[in-house]
Amino acid sequence: MALLRRKKKVEPVEEVVEPTPTLPDPPEPDARGLRSMEAHRDYLLGLVEPLPPFGMNLLDAWDLALCEDIASEVDLPGFDNSQMDGYAVRAADVAGANQGEPLTLPVAGSVAAGDESLAPLPEGQAIKIMTGAPIPEGADAVVPFEFTDRGSEQVKVFEPVVAGEYVRTKGSDITEGTVLMHRGQRMDARTIGLLAGAGIDKVLARPRPRVVVISTGAELVDPGRRLERPGQIHDANGYMIAAAAKAEGCQVWRVQAASDDPEVVREQITDQLIRADLVITTGGVSQGERDVVKQVMPELGLCDFAEVAMQPGKPQGFGLIGEDKVPMVMLPGNPVSSYVSFQAFVRPLLRKLMGIEPVNHEPVRAIAGSVMRSTKGKLQFGRAVVRDDNGRRLVDLVGGHSSHLTGDLAAANALVLLGEDVEVVNPGEAVMCWMLDD
Ligand SMILES: Nc1nc2c(c(=O)[nH]1)N[C@H]1C(S)=C(S)[C@@H](COP(=O)(O)OP(=O)(O)OC[C@H]3O[C@@H](n4cnc5c(N)ncnc54)[C@H](O)[C@@H]3O)O[C@H]1N2
Ligand code: MOO
């Protein structure tokens, strides 16, 4: 039984090594180790997908991007109706009327908006009619009350009308089959009114992103609370970034992680993932020994930390966090830096999530009203005021470039983009600006 004694052949088990998940390769930094603003923005945009659309109530879709073409299934108006309060007539019956020799017609009845159409208009008679009421069969014009004696049994008509006058015909506003809204279009009050008028109560739209804003830093105290020890400050960023996200149409929660303890921050961030389409943190992404966000996040997900050739906003972080790979943008803590970074990176991401084009700010051209200075080698975002000067767009910087100057930021309505090569801009020269329209 040699066969039985034969040694069982052990098949070598090939060990399957799961590749460690990583983010796609980030853009190459320049010789200084810095990334351009555009390269960083485009890299982040490549890491998020638009939120899936769902059918929602018309009013809830206000300001959201539509994900379908919507054609009208009805004519608007749906029936010929009166444009005026007056009398429905056959134009031919009142053709000879004038102030000196009014024509008298018997009044066969009365019809108001919401009434079903009356019996047909008898020859040589009039029917009292209110604005919006259906034009009775046989009538082809309306004589407004002002051209009559407003009689009830019979009416004196002082002015002629031509056929079709003061009649709003079926389909004169919208005809059945007309595309009322196109895919990608954003719902506003006027388009919501149009769809409602056409009887549509639900649309397919991308939802408002659910955004959690977490400000980090042991020094932070909520506004309205007393600063209890030296070194504490009120949390400006949490409110500012939450408001900026609201202005973009997001549903926003604000959370404060006022601790430098990695355990605490880790837990506070993890707790938020469940309800977020995007998490935004501020603070803790620079070189400091207590820059806890930078320390903790790589344990929770796939992260990218970079230095961007811009000022303010140099240190930047991004992650796909937790099992669900929730996108997280980690903004620098200096208030102006966090706001400028929001405009440069978060706003485009939110617009991509919402399916709104264009995702990036569209720079507008303005003329420098006064001298502007910048540091060579970095894209400088100067806080500025753009104003109209006899049809010319003039722009002046507000204050300095330091990223703690919240007073100047609040006074600004634009950011001036001073490119990496720019050291000075003289009055009268053109610059490009991002308008801050929230
Ligand atoms: N050695 C270096 N230090 C710093 C560098 C660097 O390259 N090397 N970069 C500087 C730049 S640029 C920036 S921007 C900041 C960013 O630092 P962090 O993201 O780590 O932010 P924090 O250190 O937490 O805070 C910076 C600053 O902002 C204040 N802050 C933070 N959060 C809030 C808030 N919610 N409301 C109001 N103010 C806030 C905080 O108290 C600090 O003063 O790093 C530079 N350092
Ligand atoms: O980048 Mo920091 O934002 O220069 O202050």
Side-chain angles (χ1 to χ4, degrees):
M1 301 297 284
L3 200 61
L4 289 177
R5 266 181 265 120
R6 209 184 280 164
K7 254 194 180 169
K8 216 176 175 185
K9 198 173 162 196
V10 180
E11 290 287 337
V13 180
E14 236 177 75
E15 207 181 317
V16 184
V17 183
E18 289 285 338
T20 320
T22 54
L23 290 175
D25 286 343
E28 277 296 311
D30 64 15
R32 302 165 295 171
L34 302 180
R35 215 179 264 181
S36 76
M37 186 274 289
E38 290 84 359
H40 184 62
R41 179 190 65 200
D42 293 347
Y43 178 61
L44 301 194
L45 282 170
L47 298 175
V48 303
E49 288 302 326
L51 298 174
F54 63 85
M56 61 180 82
N57 179 284
L58 193 55
L59 205 46
D60 293 337
W62 172 78
D63 212 28
L64 300 179
L66 211 59
C67 292
E68 56 179 344
D69 291 339
I70 299 183
S72 181
E73 292 182 1
V74 294
D75 285 323
L76 285 180
F79 50 89
D80 292 353
N81 69 85
S82 180
Q83 189 182 330
M84 292 290 209
D85 298 323
Y87 296 86
V89 296
R90 282 185 183 76
D93 290 343
V94 296
N98 62 56
Q99 288 290 338
E101 293 172 70
L103 283 173
T104 303
L105 302 177
V107 177
S110 167
V111 60
D115 288 351
E116 278 182 45
S117 188
L118 280 184
L121 174 70
E123 295 264 346
Q125 298 195 16
I127 287 177
K128 210 181 242 188
I129 192 164
M130 305 306 142
T131 305
I135 300 285
E137 201 187 315
D140 61 7
V142 172
V143 183
F145 278 146
E146 293 84 337
F147 300 170
T148 72
D149 69 350
R150 301 176 185 236
S152 294
E153 303 295 316
Q154 49 182 33
V155 60
K156 275 188 182 151
V157 176
F158 296 100
E159 305 250 353
V161 283
V162 296
E165 216 169 346
Y166 302 116
V167 174
R168 306 189 286 210
T169 52
K170 180 175 194 283
S172 56
D173 180 9
I174 297 289
T175 51
E176 185 187 332
T178 304
V179 177
L180 303 174
M181 285 197 73
H182 292 273
R183 175 187 300 263
Q185 217 180 320
R186 223 166 159 177
M187 307 278 293
D188 59 23
R190 295 176 301 285
T191 47
I192 285 177
L194 175 64
L195 296 189
I200 294 161
D201 70 334
K202 283 208 166 42
V203 293
L204 189 65
R206 293 194 198 283
R208 266 163 229 293
R210 297 162 309 152
V211 171
V212 180
V213 177
I214 309 175
S215 38
T216 70
E219 71 277 35
L220 300 182
V221 174
D222 252 337
R225 296 200 149 200
R226 280 162 56 95
L227 303 178
E228 302 212 323
R229 53 177 173 78
Q232 287 189 319
I233 60 166
H234 284 123
D235 173 8
N237 295 354
Y239 278 81
M240 176 168 55
I241 298 303
K246 272 187 183 227
E248 296 304 325
C250 301
Q251 191 183 348
V252 182
W253 293 273
R254 192 188 62 83
V255 175
Q256 203 181 75
S259 170
D260 279 343
D261 180 341
E263 253 325 298
V264 175
V265 172
R266 186 183 297 120
E267 198 178 312
Q268 279 175 325
I269 290 176
T270 314
D271 281 354
Q272 298 304 323
L273 297 175
I274 184 81
R275 62 170 170 177
D277 296 311
L278 180 81
V279 176
I280 308 171
T281 62
T282 75
V285 292
S286 189
Q287 307 286 332
E289 286 167 0
R290 297 206 212 155
D291 282 341
V292 68
V293 171
K294 201 171 178 179
Q295 199 180 320
V296 156
M297 292 322 296
E299 298 166 21
L300 300 178
L302 310 176
C303 289
D304 166 70
F305 291 96
E307 292 201 324
V308 179
M310 63 192 267
Q311 210 275 319
K314 184 174 76 162
Q316 296 292 336
F318 179 83
L320 294 175
I321 306 303
E323 259 177 43
D324 293 332
K325 298 199 166 32
V326 177
M328 178 183 287
V329 188
M330 297 162 242
L331 301 178
N334 280 321
V336 183
S337 314
S338 73
Y339 182 80
V340 168
S341 307
F342 179 94
Q343 294 298 332
F345 306 120
V346 182
R347 183 179 182 271
L349 288 177
L350 292 174
R351 288 171 76 90
K352 179 157 185 195
L353 290 176
M354 294 172 85
I356 293 170
E357 295 278 352
V359 291
N360 298 324
H361 269 291
E362 293 196 324
V364 299
R365 193 171 173 277
I367 303 300
S370 46
V371 72
M372 298 179 181
R373 297 190 192 284
S374 183
T375 319
K376 233 181 160 189
K378 278 189 182 177
L379 171 60
Q380 184 84 239
F381 285 92
R383 280 72 77 190
V385 171
V386 170
R387 65 197 152 89
D388 176 69
D389 177 58
N390 288 322
R392 240 173 25 137
R393 212 184 267 127
L394 269 192
V395 58
D396 292 286
L397 290 181
V398 199
H401 289 314
S402 286
S403 46
H404 68 292
L405 300 173
T406 50
D408 294 338
L409 179 64
N413 66 1
L415 296 172
V416 179
L417 279 71
L418 302 169
E420 291 195 19
D421 299 334
V422 176
E423 267 178 303
V424 61
V425 176
N426 291 308
E429 289 178 4
V431 287
M432 299 311 280
C433 307
W434 287 353
M435 296 308 298
L436 306 172
D437 40 23
D438 53 344

